[in-house]
């Protein structure tokens, strides 16, 4: 993921705020990030031994949480063959919790990172072990509080290599594409000294804005809307993480993330630099939104989905 600093902020106000829910299990949330960003994972580059180790850990967590596999298998294999890389076998990890409706929300976070460069390990604690940790926390929440709609939790591979995992997911979706009403993507949730978590996407999908505005700030984190207008140039995050592949198809999205920080795509993006006060509250904000939108998903207007663009 590549992001830059915004020139202007659009603050989300806590109008009609939600009642606060309990936080995710902070110790478990932080443990997930610590394990996934350990040196032993070798930076989790797609197609490497370290990436396979990350898969094994995430699959174990899927099973512990009780996510259901599609057709008895959590793995969705695919190839990466583009200008950035060639990977014979990359792997998305997909689990779901059934709802009372066939309408689906897809929650995504990429687990791959950039690997090793010049003898240094790029551990990607914030990018994007933090997103995967929050995805697992959201899955655990809904396992205890069953959703009204089916929720797919997708730990995607190949984001750093052209958003390839999201592309593969949509080319071979485990459910009919017309049943997918929303993508919620998380990419970098763990480091922000101002306590700001951005929710991007309402410029394209204004029907989502009222629900985001209902999410009440947490003690150490609050939602800020923005980073999605074309005139912002490189400050427009529309195309900068896996949600873009859903947007290409006309599927609405909300992208949760922080602005760039000094550790972005650096060897210093380590667990020790995750903000242990901000990050659990940032993950909680995402869960608050997911719970709210699950209740109201049927109210979202059906989008005219578009065919995929050829690359």
């Amino acid at each position: 993921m590549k992001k830059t600093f915004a020139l202007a902020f659009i603050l989300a106000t806590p109008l009609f705020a939600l009642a606060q829910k309990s936080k995710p299990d902070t110790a478990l949330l932080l443990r997930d990030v610590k394990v996934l960003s350990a040196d032993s994972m070798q930076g989790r580059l797609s197609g490497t031994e370290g990436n396979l180790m990350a898969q094994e850990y995430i699959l174990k967590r899927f099973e512990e949480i009780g996510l259901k596999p599609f057709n008895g298998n959590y793995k969705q294999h695919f190839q990466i063959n583009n200008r950035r890389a060639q990977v014979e076998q990359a792997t998305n990890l997909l689990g779901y919790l059934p709802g009372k409706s066939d309408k689906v929300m897809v929650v995504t976070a990429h687990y791959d990172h950039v690997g090793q460069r010049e003898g240094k390990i790029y551990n990607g604690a914030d990018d994007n072990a933090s997103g995967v940790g929050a995805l697992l926390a959201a899955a655990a929440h809904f396992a205890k509080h069953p959703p009204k709609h089916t929720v797919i939790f997708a730990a995607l591979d190949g984001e750093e290599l052209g958003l390839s995992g999201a592309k593969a997911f949509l080319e071979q979706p485990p459910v009919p594409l017309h049943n997918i009403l929303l993508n919620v993507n998380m990419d970098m949730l763990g480091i922000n000294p101002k306590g700001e978590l951005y929710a991007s996407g309402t410029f394209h999908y204004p029907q989502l804005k009222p629900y985001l505005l209902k999410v009440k700030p947490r003690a150490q984190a609050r939602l800020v809307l923005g980073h999605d207008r074309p005139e912002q140039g490189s400050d427009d995050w529309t195309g900068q993480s896996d949600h873009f592949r859903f947007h290409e198809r006309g599927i609405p999205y909300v992208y949760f993330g922080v602005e760039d920080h000094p550790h972005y795509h650096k060897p210093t993006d380590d667990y020790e630099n995750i903000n242990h006060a901000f990050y659990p509250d940032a993950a909680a904000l995402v869960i608050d939104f997911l719970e709210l939108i699950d209740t109201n998903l049927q109210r979202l207007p059906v989008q005219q989905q578009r065919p995929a663009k050829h690359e």
Side-chain angles (χ1 to χ4, degrees):
M1 175 181 58
K2 180 68 182 81
K3 301 189 289 189
T4 54
F5 288 94
L7 299 177
F9 297 148
I10 307 172
L11 295 181
T13 57
L15 299 175
F16 311 107
L18 283 173
Q20 292 263 318
K21 304 296 183 183
S22 59
K23 275 189 180 182
D25 183 330
T26 298
L28 184 54
L29 180 71
L30 292 171
R31 189 195 75 182
D32 287 340
V33 176
K34 186 175 184 179
V35 171
L36 288 169
S37 60
D39 284 350
S40 59
M41 298 287 180
Q42 304 168 8
R44 307 189 306 277
L45 181 66
S46 299
T48 65
E49 181 181 349
N51 183 280
L52 289 172
M53 292 176 64
Q55 289 179 37
E56 291 174 2
Y57 180 79
I58 295 167
L59 290 174
K60 178 183 175 183
R61 294 285 289 114
F62 275 19
E63 292 173 349
E64 289 174 353
I65 291 166
L67 294 184
K68 296 180 180 297
F70 289 98
N71 300 316
N73 190 359
Y74 291 115
K75 296 183 179 182
Q76 180 189 53
H77 297 304
F78 63 97
Q79 291 183 332
I80 300 175
N81 185 13
N82 57 35
R83 290 171 291 180
R84 298 193 183 189
Q86 288 75 45
V87 179
E88 184 64 27
Q89 182 171 284
T91 306
N92 291 332
L93 306 174
L94 314 177
Y96 75 98
L97 293 171
K100 298 178 181 179
S101 164
D102 62 355
K103 300 305 180 185
V104 177
M105 178 164 50
V106 181
V107 180
T108 54
H110 75 92
Y111 68 90
D112 65 302
H113 194 51
V114 300
Q116 303 180 73
R117 297 175 178 176
E118 299 179 350
K120 296 181 179 179
I121 301 174
Y122 288 64
N123 283 320
D126 197 23
D127 186 11
N128 184 37
S130 67
V132 176
L135 179 145
L136 294 171
H141 173 84
F142 280 105
K144 295 177 181 176
H145 308 279
K148 297 186 186 318
H149 300 85
T150 296
V151 185
I152 297 173
F153 296 91
L156 299 176
D157 200 358
E159 190 271 353
E160 301 286 0
L161 301 176
L163 315 183
S164 298
K167 182 173 181 285
F169 174 89
L170 291 162
E171 287 176 343
Q172 295 185 315
V175 297
L177 280 183
H178 61 80
N179 283 350
I180 299 176
L181 298 188
L182 180 66
N183 169 233
V184 174
N185 185 39
M186 294 173 282
D187 197 345
M188 295 174 58
L189 274 66
I191 303 174
N192 185 276
K194 296 181 288 187
E196 294 175 345
L197 178 69
Y198 271 86
S200 179
T202 59
F203 173 79
H204 302 289
Y205 304 102
Q207 68 270 30
L208 296 170
K209 185 174 181 179
Y211 301 106
L212 287 162
L213 291 177
K214 292 178 184 178
V215 177
K216 187 175 181 180
R218 293 278 179 159
Q220 301 294 327
R222 65 185 183 279
L223 287 185
V224 183
L225 307 187
H227 281 300
D228 51 16
R229 302 180 69 89
E231 65 268 23
Q232 290 180 288
S234 58
D235 288 323
D236 175 9
W237 298 348
T238 300
Q240 296 184 5
S241 187
D242 288 316
H243 56 275
F244 178 65
R245 297 302 188 189
F246 292 84
H247 178 57
E248 281 185 314
R249 298 270 188 161
I251 298 171
Y253 74 87
V254 178
Y255 166 37
F256 291 98
V258 299
E259 291 182 322
D260 278 358
H261 47 71
H263 307 294
Y264 170 74
H265 274 209
K266 297 289 194 302
T268 56
D269 187 6
D270 292 323
Y271 171 76
E272 289 73 20
N273 289 320
I274 294 293
N275 186 318
H276 290 197
F278 167 75
Y279 173 52
D281 274 2
L285 289 176
V286 178
I287 295 170
D288 287 345
F289 171 74
L290 288 170
E291 190 165 69
L292 174 65
I293 204 65
D294 174 52
T295 302
N296 293 280
L297 199 60
Q298 74 281 2
R299 299 183 184 180
L300 297 181
V302 177
Q303 297 288 129
Q304 182 64 42
Q305 294 187 9
R306 301 184 289 266
K309 296 180 181 178
H310 296 288
E311 297 186 340

